[in-house]
Amino acid sequence: MEFREKLGMGITPEKRLKGVNKLKSSSTQILLSIIIPFFNVKDKIGKILDCLKQQTDKNFEVIFINDGSTDGTAEIVARENSQIDCDGVRLINQDNKGPAIARNAGFEYARGTYVYFLDADDIISNCLVECLELGLDKGQELPNVIVFGYEVVDNSAGTLANPKFNSWRIGTVREYLMAATTSRVGFGYLWNKFIQRQFIIMSNIHFEKFNYDEDAIFLSQLYLKVQSISFSDDILYQYVQYPNSLTHAKKNYYESVRSLSRLNQITDELSQEYALFENGLQLRIKLRLVFALVRKKRDLSSDELSIIRALLKSIKSIHQYISIKDQIAALCITVLGVPGVRIIQFFL
């Protein structure tokens, strides 16, 4: 039985309804806008098209953004979208501008109460929209964000992880950020969250133009403004690791440092706002920025060394939830300072 089919089993309405909120009027309001940017994924787009066609609840719309594809992906979407039984499918074509700008473009056309930013090469449960519909409690205020579980799969190694919450319930942003530190429940991932559309509009937040980590930067800004957040124990998304994806591709040094510097700035604000000092999440981001700086092939400039020194001062503990490799590297940097940077350059 495939992932998207098996997730429809064993999930009762009573379980979904526990402690969360629902639309006051659902018959004329689109529940969910699914926003999918894509670029040259003709060999992978078929899976998500199948998932959309097989949704058990039809109260959703789909907005595809063709981000300058040249391999025929747009033609596949145009040919197949009429088979998606929902409240509407739209295909937007634009020159290649990257996922951040593409998501902003798609959001402009969204009409749903919630929006869901989805990647084109992954898989969702056939019950994704149904679980949102049944998981909301009538007559109460809508949560700004609903977070659900997901499954991480490698094409060759199988299932690697399936982080989730224990029950449907209302929580706090601080609780979620602490959980993201300890159990990797998707702090910077868009694809395990339904986000209230009006909340995004009122918060005046958009995706900033970064090639990397633009989703984590967007979400970090949202966390600073979120008033209500709910957790779902449903696993509704499958993240498939592909060796040639943008996430695993070799990154441009300057773009990586630029995006991580911005993410480091915002997570520092989060730590101040929610008293998350010395947490593993913040430490991992600072380590990533240090590692991005030291992966340079040429000598580091004096400005870059100054940045590393400042980051070293803020890395005061080795957190148990980072990887063994990162613990060793962080220890080397923390104890030896900038000379430790030079040492780990040989191993990165």
Side-chain angles (χ1 to χ4, degrees):
M1 183 179 296
E2 292 190 16
F3 165 85
R4 59 179 186 265
E5 297 170 338
K6 71 181 180 182
L7 290 189
M9 303 175 63
I11 304 175
T12 65
E14 291 77 16
K15 176 181 170 185
R16 295 167 183 158
L17 286 167
K18 186 177 180 182
V20 195
N21 309 303
K22 187 167 186 168
L23 293 172
K24 297 175 182 177
S25 173
S26 61
S27 59
T28 58
Q29 173 66 52
I30 296 174
L31 175 64
L32 184 64
S33 297
I34 301 177
I35 299 172
I36 309 176
F38 62 84
F39 174 73
N40 288 353
V41 287
K42 72 172 184 178
D43 295 331
K44 302 170 185 174
I45 193 73
K47 289 184 178 180
I48 193 58
L49 287 170
D50 288 342
C51 293
L52 295 169
K53 294 173 188 176
Q54 297 172 30
Q55 285 300 303
T56 55
D57 190 313
K58 312 303 181 183
N59 192 7
F60 69 100
E61 66 174 356
V62 186
I63 303 167
F64 290 100
I65 307 94
N66 171 26
D67 192 31
S69 292
T70 58
D71 69 341
T73 307
E75 288 76 7
I76 295 173
V77 171
R79 184 174 65 246
E80 298 287 328
N81 66 26
S82 63
Q83 300 176 37
I84 301 172
D85 183 9
C86 65
D87 284 322
V89 180
R90 184 186 296 267
L91 173 60
I92 302 167
N93 294 293
Q94 66 175 35
D95 295 335
N96 181 247
K97 299 176 181 179
I101 302 303
R103 290 186 182 118
N104 287 334
F107 183 77
E108 290 296 317
Y109 290 93
R111 299 173 294 160
T113 299
Y114 283 91
V115 295
Y116 178 42
F117 296 100
L118 182 62
D119 291 337
D121 56 357
D122 294 322
I123 300 170
I124 57 174
S125 166
N126 292 349
C127 299
L128 179 128
V129 181
E130 180 189 2
C131 285
L132 174 61
E133 181 85 52
L134 294 176
L136 299 170
D137 185 13
K138 289 184 179 179
Q140 298 185 25
E141 182 181 355
L142 294 171
N144 298 146
V145 178
I146 300 171
V147 187
F148 52 85
Y150 61 93
E151 186 175 78
V152 181
V153 174
D154 183 275
N155 271 349
S156 58
T159 301
L160 302 179
N162 54 353
K164 56 176 285 189
F165 295 94
N166 293 327
S167 63
W168 267 102
R169 59 188 176 84
I170 296 173
T172 66
V173 177
R174 187 179 191 279
E175 177 187 5
Y176 176 61
L177 294 176
M178 292 303 294
T181 292
T182 59
S183 57
R184 308 293 178 89
V185 288
F187 158 80
Y189 301 148
L190 288 165
W191 31 251
N192 73 323
K193 297 171 183 70
F194 302 122
I195 307 172
Q196 192 181 16
R197 181 173 63 90
Q198 194 61 32
F199 165 65
I200 297 176
I201 294 171
M202 296 299 293
S203 299
N204 194 28
I205 294 172
H206 63 277
F207 290 93
E208 299 180 16
K209 181 67 173 78
F210 290 101
N211 290 338
Y212 314 116
D213 293 304
E214 76 285 345
D215 45 1
I217 292 168
F218 172 82
L219 288 169
S220 295
Q221 294 179 85
L222 280 184
Y223 297 145
L224 287 168
K225 297 178 180 291
V226 165
Q227 299 297 312
S228 56
I229 187 168
S230 296
F231 306 136
S232 165
D233 57 349
D234 295 325
I235 296 179
L236 302 177
Y237 180 91
Q238 187 178 75
Y239 174 68
V240 183
Q241 292 189 350
Y242 296 102
N244 60 341
S245 70
L246 186 61
T247 303
H248 295 89
K250 187 175 180 179
K251 296 185 176 181
N252 176 279
Y253 162 74
Y254 294 101
E255 285 296 319
S256 180
V257 169
R258 192 172 73 90
S259 61
L260 283 170
S261 297
R262 176 65 172 136
L263 184 57
N264 180 59
Q265 175 192 9
I266 302 175
T267 52
D268 280 351
E269 294 179 32
L270 282 173
S271 294
Q272 291 282 343
E273 178 70 21
Y274 295 108
L276 301 173
F277 306 110
E278 300 294 332
N279 68 90
L281 172 65
Q282 189 182 22
L283 176 60
R284 286 199 300 272
I285 291 169
K286 291 184 183 299
L287 285 174
R288 284 182 60 201
L289 180 51
V290 170
F291 295 163
L293 286 165
V294 303
R295 281 190 174 99
K296 288 189 60 177
K297 300 303 181 184
R298 63 178 178 82
D299 290 338
L300 295 167
S301 69
S302 58
D303 287 343
E304 290 163 336
L305 287 172
S306 296
I307 293 172
I308 290 176
R309 290 189 184 97
L311 288 168
L312 291 176
K313 290 180 181 179
S314 66
I315 300 174
K316 299 175 182 177
S317 63
I318 307 304
H319 199 280
Q320 61 178 314
Y321 297 106
I322 63 174
S323 69
I324 296 297
K325 183 180 76 171
D326 285 355
Q327 287 186 44
I328 295 171
L331 180 62
C332 184
I333 293 172
T334 304
V335 172
L336 300 177
V338 174
V341 170
R342 299 302 186 193
I343 292 174
I344 67 170
Q345 279 185 312
F346 291 103
F347 301 99
L348 290 175

